[in-house]
Amino acid sequence: CRAYGYSTTEIKISPDGEVDVETPEYVDIASDVDFIPNLYYKDGSNDALDSEIVKISQTAWDEIEEEMNEVLCTVDKSITRDFIDETNGASTVAGNWIADRMLDITKEQNTVAAFINRGGIRSDIQLEPGEKTRDITVADIYTMMPFGNRIYVYTITGKQMAEQMENALTGLNPEIGMNNGYEASNYGDQFSGIRMTYRVVDGGIKVVSIVTDDGECIDVNDEENTYN
């Protein structure tokens, strides 16, 4: 994330095909706060960067800069990954916004809900101080979601949808707060198109109701009716 660390290892492959992985190591650059500024291009003024590597990087960027700067939309608030409810919920503005877009693009397939994991959302899109709007470019989307993920549409039952939410929110416990109880979550915990209620049972999550944005109640025990 933001090049704040790197991993190294030595892999030996013998003639008979046996693979041996030796000395795997993760090096945390972010722990050296004085070194972090060396990671950024700074409009070409950063002498700490290797000039030949910068030349390769900038040549690649120059080829796609026009496409990356295409404006896709304009927003009137920052798109952030901070929890909207620090205690009882998983939702973030960024997660809601992306899941909404997923529903928009699949509406011809009659989708009622969309899910995405918050760990796949890698940056915020912030309004500048004093500004009331901000253009969103192709580059912003690549920065926020750099993994080339695809959107898949599944047909699932009400029971499966409830199980999806229970898996997604594993570890969420409002009694001890988000920072301590939420570490195990991340499996599609950002969602759109539905509202659900849950309770904590034996340290886990039990979904007790799901209602779509259109007001349809989805039976969390139903194994026959299906939804996209």
Side-chain angles (χ1 to χ4, degrees):
C1 182
R2 296 184 293 275
Y4 279 5
Y6 62 91
S7 297
T8 64
T9 189
E10 182 177 355
I11 300 177
K12 295 183 178 180
I13 304 176
S14 65
D16 60 5
E18 183 177 345
V19 178
D20 187 24
V21 179
E22 298 183 355
T23 62
E25 180 184 11
Y26 172 72
V27 179
D28 183 10
I29 293 174
S31 60
D32 185 349
V33 295
D34 294 329
F35 185 78
I36 290 176
N38 293 340
L39 298 173
Y40 294 91
Y41 180 58
K42 300 179 183 177
D43 294 325
S45 65
N46 188 354
D47 295 333
L49 298 179
D50 184 286
S51 61
E52 293 302 313
I53 298 298
V54 169
K55 186 183 301 183
I56 295 171
S57 176
Q58 285 308 114
T59 299
W61 172 254
D62 290 343
E63 292 179 358
I64 62 171
E65 183 176 8
E66 183 177 354
E67 178 186 351
M68 290 295 102
N69 287 333
E70 177 188 354
V71 175
L72 301 175
C73 64
T74 301
V75 296
D76 59 5
K77 68 185 301 182
S78 295
I79 310 299
T80 62
R81 297 166 294 166
D82 296 332
F83 294 119
I84 296 172
D85 183 337
E86 287 288 347
T87 302
N88 294 311
S91 293
T92 68
V93 173
N96 290 346
W97 186 68
I98 293 170
D100 281 347
R101 305 287 72 75
M102 294 167 67
L103 277 183
D104 287 343
I105 204 170
T106 59
K107 60 184 177 182
E108 292 184 356
Q109 299 179 62
N110 298 317
T111 50
V112 301
F115 304 89
I116 183 173
N117 63 303
R118 67 183 170 94
I121 306 172
R122 304 304 291 182
S123 68
D124 299 329
I125 298 178
Q126 297 277 10
L127 266 64
E128 294 296 329
E131 296 293 329
K132 295 183 179 180
T133 62
R134 186 195 194 283
D135 290 338
I136 304 295
T137 66
V138 174
D140 288 324
I141 300 303
Y142 273 107
T143 302
M144 177 175 268
M145 302 183 65
F147 300 117
N149 292 332
R150 297 177 180 271
I151 296 176
Y152 287 91
V153 177
Y154 293 91
T155 300
I156 60 177
T157 65
K159 183 176 181 180
Q160 288 174 319
M161 190 178 298
E163 290 172 345
Q164 151 64 22
M165 295 309 306
E166 290 166 357
N167 289 334
L169 299 175
T170 298
L172 174 60
N173 188 332
E175 297 173 0
I176 59 177
M178 192 68 75
N179 291 335
N180 294 318
Y182 197 68
E183 295 174 357
S185 305
N186 198 17
Y187 308 110
D189 56 352
Q190 308 294 291
F191 56 93
S192 181
I194 59 173
R195 293 179 180 273
M196 65 97 185
T197 56
Y198 69 90
R199 64 173 181 265
V200 179
V201 179
D202 296 328
I205 298 296
K206 177 63 178 177
V207 171
V208 296
S209 70
I210 300 174
V211 180
T212 70
D213 286 352
D214 293 332
E216 179 183 1
C217 293
I218 295 178
D219 185 345
V220 298
N221 297 307
D222 184 10
E223 299 185 61
E224 296 184 3
N225 296 304
T226 58
Y227 308 86
N228 288 352

